[in-house]
């Protein structure tokens, strides 16, 4: 990753760094970085701040193990604020919650799909056969693909039938099974989204 161009003089040597979950886009926390903290963040791929209370560099998770693994770092248009996208290892907040903002609840809307993917991934890795997800994944690609086909048909039929509640329920089942199929195929939602982004990009 390239070192962002920061106007350190304007910010008196410290810039705010907003940390966002790379998968769900939920805002996790806000900290401050000086030039040394930013360089260490880019070098180690773990979010490191400058602690104003401890007066030293502080890598998030250095004592708890709840690191923030860096995916990307962007600077804003005024060159005085950073947006860090990261994959959190465990809860971000010292209260044990996902985020330091609000009540720390999971993000809603489209971002919830990222949380669902993470949850299903952990469930599959856990191997508890009392879980439908685990049993389905163990049956292999063919069976999961069959379920996606079945749910796709049921979603289409529900759409034609005209009952919005039934259609929404079938669409939810389709999304769930599609996420499981992606995981069984060692892919993520991000891989499918990247294809959509590429298709949507302006042609040069």
């Amino acid at each position: 990753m390239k070192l962002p161009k920061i106007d350190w003089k304007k910010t008196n040597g410290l810039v705010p760094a907003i940390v966002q979950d790379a998968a769900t886009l939920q805002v996790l926390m806000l900290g401050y970085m000086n030039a040394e903290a930013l360089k260490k963040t880019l070098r180690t791929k773990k979010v490191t701040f400058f602690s104003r209370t401890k007066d030293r560099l502080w890598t998030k998770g250095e004592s708890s193990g709840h690191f923030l693994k860096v995916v990307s770092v962007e600077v804003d248009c005024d060159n005085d604020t950073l947006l860090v996208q990261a994959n959190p290892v465990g809860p971000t907040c010292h209260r044990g919650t996902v985020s330091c903002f609000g009540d720390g609840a999971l993000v809603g809307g489209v971002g919830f799909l990222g949380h669902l993917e993470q949850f299903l991934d952990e469930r599959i890795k856990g191997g508890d056969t009392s879980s439908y997800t685990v049993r389905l994944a163990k049956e292999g690609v063919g069976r999961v693909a069959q379920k996606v086909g079945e749910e796709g048909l049921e979603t289409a039929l529900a759409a034609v039938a005209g009952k919005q509640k039934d259609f929404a329920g079938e669409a939810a089942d389709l999304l769930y099974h599609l996420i499981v199929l992606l995981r069984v195929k060692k892919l993520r939602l991000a891989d499918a989204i990247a294809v959509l982004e590429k298709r949507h990009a302006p042609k040069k």
Side-chain angles (χ1 to χ4, degrees):
M1 283 180 278
K2 289 185 178 180
L3 187 67
K5 196 171 184 180
I6 305 294
D7 190 342
W8 296 108
K9 290 183 179 180
K10 181 170 71 172
T11 61
N12 294 318
L14 283 179
V15 295
I18 302 163
V19 183
Q20 183 182 40
D21 189 309
T24 68
L25 304 185
Q26 183 173 15
V27 175
L28 300 176
M29 69 177 297
L30 170 70
Y32 290 85
M33 292 185 185
N34 60 7
E36 190 178 358
L38 177 57
K39 288 177 182 177
K40 185 174 180 180
T41 293
L42 296 175
R43 185 179 73 252
T44 64
K45 301 296 193 300
K46 293 178 181 177
V47 175
T48 298
F49 299 109
F50 177 81
S51 173
R52 294 170 295 172
T53 55
K54 299 175 182 177
D55 194 33
R56 66 171 178 83
L57 296 188
W58 167 63
T59 298
K60 176 70 180 71
E62 64 184 25
S63 58
S64 66
H66 298 157
F67 296 103
L68 293 168
K69 295 185 177 180
V70 178
V71 174
S72 66
V73 178
E74 301 289 342
V75 65
D76 76 335
C77 57
D78 292 322
N79 298 323
D80 60 8
T81 303
L82 293 169
L83 176 63
V84 181
Q85 288 198 330
N87 291 319
V89 178
T92 297
C93 185
H94 69 281
R95 299 172 299 171
T97 53
V98 174
S99 169
C100 293
F101 293 93
D103 60 4
L106 298 180
V107 67
V110 175
F112 175 74
L113 290 176
H115 279 298
L116 179 60
E117 181 180 53
Q118 292 171 352
F119 174 81
L120 295 178
D121 197 27
E122 292 171 5
R123 179 62 62 85
I124 292 170
K125 288 177 180 177
D128 182 359
T129 53
S130 67
S131 163
Y132 168 74
T133 300
V134 173
R135 294 197 306 273
L136 179 62
K138 283 181 176 295
E139 291 185 44
V141 173
R143 176 55 179 156
V144 185
Q146 180 185 355
K147 287 296 296 180
V148 170
E150 292 172 359
E151 296 298 342
L153 177 59
E154 290 175 9
T155 300
L157 291 174
V160 173
K163 292 184 179 180
Q164 297 291 75
K165 186 177 180 180
D166 291 343
F167 172 56
E170 294 297 346
D173 289 343
L174 176 59
L175 286 170
Y176 160 79
H177 285 91
L178 182 57
I179 291 173
V180 175
L181 182 57
L182 284 166
R183 298 309 299 124
V184 171
K185 289 290 293 180
K186 309 300 182 186
L187 293 173
R188 308 195 71 86
L189 280 169
D191 295 302
I193 292 170
V195 175
L196 290 173
E197 289 175 338
K198 186 176 181 180
R199 290 176 182 173
H200 186 69
K203 293 183 179 180
K204 295 181 181 180

